Amino acid sequence: MLKHSKVLLIQTAFLGDAVLATALLEKIRNESPETEIHILVRKGNESLFKAYPYSNLHRVWTYDKSRKWSSWLELRHDLSLVHFDAVYVIQRFFGMGLLSLSIGANRVVGFDKNPMSLFFTERVKHEWGTGIHEVERNTALVKSWLGEKVYKPCLKAAGIDLVPEIRKKEYICISPGSVWETKRLPIRIWIEFIRLLPESQVVILMGSPGEIDLSLQIAEAFQGSNRVILNETGKHPLLASAYLFQQSKMSFVNDSGPMHICSAENVPTVAVYCSTVPSFGFGPLADWNRVIETKEVLSCRPCGDHGKKNCPLGHYACGEGMEAMALFQAYQEFLSTGSQKI
């Protein structure tokens, strides 16, 4: 069996991808607890790893994509001084593949889709669209070291002071945003869903600073009503946002980073899929979860491996065809059965 005293994981993609990489932290912690782990993520995602509660994560490194070349050179220099036994490069792009080969590690393991994979010590087949979850794909990278057992991602955000209206496990979170427009449930459907909820149900709107307008559209629809709609979008650092999700009764999210945070925190999750599909391998992993999709069979769905800025055909039927009642039924189902299982 291979022995590693010090390893580096590389995942510099979006927030959700970084969250899912904590499943590898969990696997190494449980199966090789003596191994010191370093992880390299995109700048901006590093604070989230303060919510990873175990000491085997020795250091979080950051790659600044706003100055790609200079940041890459700095990382090559600094990482080469650490003398890793192995690098596991989850990222499938040239830059991180080249970096993994440039820092003097004894072994480099990555996916066969990485342009630099020909030079890796071990290439692992990257399966896509077959229903295999991303955490299973990532686990395959360490199979020759630690075997096949898959662990769930893990985050446990520390407490923050909540305002009186935000009582733990009584509010629900709604995250209407996504980096990609074709992953966003239309705002009108979120509004219709909230109108179906009991008037006493507190709703917290969540999202990044770039998604403030989406949440404002929802909040403004309920101005003057007796409903408590708290718009927390863009108001909190990443770690505090993770805590708000963690303390919610349940969360409603698009196929986006917040869904993966909820998976890592085991928050009951209702995940909405518009242009993408769960078979890509990025479905919710919370013990209680539901997936909402359009009931209409669309020959154009999915329209790509990721979301898009606009619907290629202009109709956005995958999103517009959703029903608010499906969200409400998931809410009712959780209250009647799921809440007693968590």
Side-chain angles (χ1 to χ4, degrees):
M1 178 179 174
L2 292 169
K3 297 286 186 181
H4 295 330
S5 62
K6 194 179 300 181
V7 300
L8 172 68
L9 309 178
I10 298 179
Q11 177 50 289
T12 57
F14 291 113
L15 171 63
D17 302 288
V19 172
L20 292 179
T22 63
L24 282 185
L25 301 183
E26 282 293 274
K27 183 171 179 65
I28 299 169
R29 176 179 72 86
N30 281 281
E31 300 188 10
S32 183
E34 72 282 0
T35 299
E36 177 183 296
I37 309 173
H38 297 236
I39 190 167
L40 171 61
V41 298
R42 175 198 293 247
K43 185 177 181 181
N45 291 341
E46 67 274 15
S47 64
L48 192 70
F49 288 87
K50 294 178 182 177
Y52 184 71
Y54 301 108
S55 60
N56 59 312
L57 179 56
H58 182 75
R59 179 168 176 178
V60 180
W61 300 76
T62 59
Y63 173 49
D64 187 351
K65 291 197 172 184
S66 69
R67 51 182 193 90
K68 290 183 178 181
W69 183 236
S70 59
S71 181
W72 189 95
L73 288 173
E74 289 168 7
L75 283 167
R76 185 183 67 172
H77 173 268
D78 294 344
L79 290 170
S80 66
L81 300 177
V82 181
H83 306 296
F84 293 103
D85 295 301
V87 176
Y88 294 92
V89 54
I90 305 169
Q91 194 75 349
R92 302 187 303 278
F93 297 109
F94 173 82
M96 290 300 106
L98 181 61
L99 180 68
S100 68
L101 293 164
S102 303
I103 59 176
N106 295 332
R107 299 180 76 244
V108 176
V109 181
F111 289 116
D112 58 356
K113 289 188 178 179
N114 192 298
M116 299 302 294
S117 65
L118 180 63
F119 305 101
F120 292 168
T121 310
E122 181 183 345
R123 287 183 290 172
V124 175
K125 181 176 175 56
H126 186 269
E127 296 191 43
W128 180 264
T130 61
I132 294 176
H133 200 280
E134 178 75 352
V135 297
E136 296 177 85
R137 282 194 285 260
N138 292 348
T139 300
L141 292 173
V142 299
K143 178 182 176 182
S144 63
W145 173 28
L146 297 175
E148 297 181 347
K149 184 175 180 179
V150 177
Y151 291 78
K152 286 187 177 183
C154 175
L155 293 173
K156 295 179 182 178
I160 60 171
D161 292 331
L162 302 179
V163 298
E165 295 91 338
I166 306 178
R167 289 185 286 273
K168 295 177 181 180
K169 304 302 180 183
E170 292 189 12
Y171 61 90
I172 67 170
C173 287
I174 292 177
S175 301
S178 169
V179 172
W180 307 104
E181 279 82 345
T182 63
K183 285 187 174 184
R184 297 175 183 171
L185 185 69
I187 293 300
R188 66 169 181 83
I189 301 177
W190 287 122
I191 293 171
E192 291 170 13
F193 164 56
I194 294 172
R195 286 179 175 146
L196 292 171
L197 293 171
E199 197 169 69
S200 60
Q201 177 60 70
V202 176
V203 174
I204 294 184
L205 303 175
M206 297 290 291
S208 68
E211 296 164 350
I212 290 175
D213 182 62
L214 298 174
S215 292
L216 277 176
Q217 292 177 57
I218 297 173
E220 288 172 355
F222 297 96
Q223 283 185 350
S225 75
N226 293 324
R227 292 184 180 276
V228 179
I229 309 291
L230 301 174
N231 187 0
E232 300 299 310
T233 302
K235 295 182 179 179
H236 302 282
L238 189 53
L239 201 60
S241 294
Y243 184 74
L244 285 173
F245 283 117
Q246 181 177 286
Q247 296 302 324
S248 68
K249 177 193 302 183
M250 62 189 306
S251 288
F252 292 77
V253 296
N254 294 311
D255 174 16
S256 60
M259 177 180 68
H260 302 307
I261 291 175
C262 290
S263 289
E265 296 182 326
N266 201 25
V267 176
T269 305
V270 178
V272 178
Y273 286 78
C274 296
S275 68
T276 53
V277 293
S279 63
F280 285 166
F282 294 93
L285 293 173
D287 290 346
W288 192 97
N289 70 78
R290 296 294 181 269
V291 169
I292 306 295
E293 305 174 87
T294 180
K295 295 178 181 178
E296 185 179 356
V297 177
L298 299 170
S299 61
C300 56
R301 178 177 182 260
C303 56
D305 290 350
H306 304 283
K308 296 180 181 295
K309 288 296 181 183
N310 298 286
C311 171
L313 301 180
H315 53 61
Y316 198 38
C318 59
E320 295 294 345
M322 298 280 198
E323 297 179 358
M325 182 56 69
L327 298 169
F328 182 62
Q329 287 171 345
Y331 171 84
Q332 289 182 307
E333 181 184 353
F334 176 72
L335 292 190
S336 63
T337 61
S339 60
Q340 298 168 25
K341 299 177 182 178
I342 300 301

